[in-house]
């Protein structure tokens, strides 16, 4: 198993892509923190990992802010003593046409996708650098961030921001042995 002994955090791991990534990492031997703001979802992913013979713990921190991002990384350090992989997948939708979008709709989506991705990456990287651990940051973006998406100005802007953030952090962190990549899944 290629990730034996490595610890990974997956945000938004309660369903969909996040749950699949968490299970795949565990299947390769990773020790997984399955984060989802809905604790029951995180626990369900952990139960699936454990029933397949993997090791995982749930976490329900709100990763849309720095305190929550620090908390999910701290959960990983408490459970496994290290963090090697951070997968930034958490997300919400507040779809509205731009002319009908409220500030609350804008702020909520940008907070989860863009601030959350930055804050979680920052928290993980601080430990990786201090411990001189080569790590991996994997950010989930979207085709909407590349091309736009009607009724999703907040989402498209945040996902485009994730791409810019990924490029910048990749350049900043390569000298520390930390890679930063983005994926753009499409179903």
């Amino acid at each position: 198993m290629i990730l034996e002994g490595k610890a990974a955090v997956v945000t938004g791991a309660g369903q969909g892509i996040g749950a699949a990534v968490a299970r795949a990492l565990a299947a390769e031997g990773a020790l997984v923190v399955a984060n989802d703001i809905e604790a029951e979802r995180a626990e369900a992913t952990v139960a699936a990992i454990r029933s397949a013979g993997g090791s995982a713990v749930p976490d329900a921190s709100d990763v849309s802010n720095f305190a929550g991002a620090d908390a999910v990384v701290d959960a990983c350090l408490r459970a496994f003593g290290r963090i090697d992989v951070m997968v930034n997948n958490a997300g919400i939708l507040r779809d509205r046409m731009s002319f009908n979008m409220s500030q609350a709709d804008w702020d909520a989506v940008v907070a989860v996708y863009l601030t959350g991705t930055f804050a979680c990456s920052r928290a993980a990287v601080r430990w990786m650098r201090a411990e001189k651990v080569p790590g991996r940051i994997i950010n989930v973006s979207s085709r909407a961030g590349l091309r736009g998406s009607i009724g999703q100005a907040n989402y498209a802007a945040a996902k485009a921001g994730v791409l810019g953030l990924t490029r910048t952090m990749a350049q900043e962190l390569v000298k520390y042995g930390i890679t930063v990549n983005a994926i753009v899944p499409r179903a």
Side-chain angles (χ1 to χ4, degrees), residues 7-61:
V9 171
V10 181
T11 67
Q15 62 183 352
I17 292 169
V21 168
R23 290 191 309 268
L25 290 170
E28 288 297 334
L31 311 165
V32 177
V33 174
N35 163 269
D36 198 286
I37 198 164
E38 294 190 29
E40 305 80 29
R41 288 182 181 176
E43 291 164 6
T45 298
V46 167
I49 289 170
R50 289 178 179 166
S51 70
S55 180
V57 296
D59 177 83
S61 300

Side-chain angles (χ1 to χ4, degrees), residues 2 19 45 49 59 74-75 78 93 119 128 136 170 184:
I2 63 173
T45 298
I49 289 170
D59 177 83
D74 288 345
R78 278 193 315 277
L93 293 175
M128 291 171 185
R136 307 291 177 257
V184 180

Side-chain angles (χ1 to χ4, degrees), residues 81-121:
R82 61 184 301 120
I83 182 168
D84 302 277
V85 179
M86 170 60 74
V87 180
N88 292 301
N89 173 71
I92 62 168
L93 293 175
R94 300 290 184 269
D95 294 352
R96 305 269 185 283
M97 295 298 283
S98 58
F99 47 84
N100 288 327
M101 188 170 293
S102 69
Q103 182 169 350
D105 291 337
W106 177 270
D107 290 346
V109 170
V110 170
V112 172
Y113 287 113
L114 188 53
T115 302
T117 295
F118 174 74
C120 287
S121 297

Side-chain angles (χ1 to χ4, degrees), residues 117-135:
T117 295
F118 174 74
C120 287
S121 297
R122 174 182 171 267
V125 164
R126 285 182 160 190
W127 185 87
M128 291 171 185
R129 282 189 63 229
E131 298 298 319
K132 297 180 177 27
V133 170

Side-chain angles (χ1 to χ4, degrees), residues 51-79:
S51 70
S55 180
V57 296
D59 177 83
S61 300
D62 177 355
V63 297
S64 70
N65 60 71
F66 281 46
D70 289 344
V72 74
V73 170
D74 288 345
C76 188
L77 297 175
R78 278 193 315 277

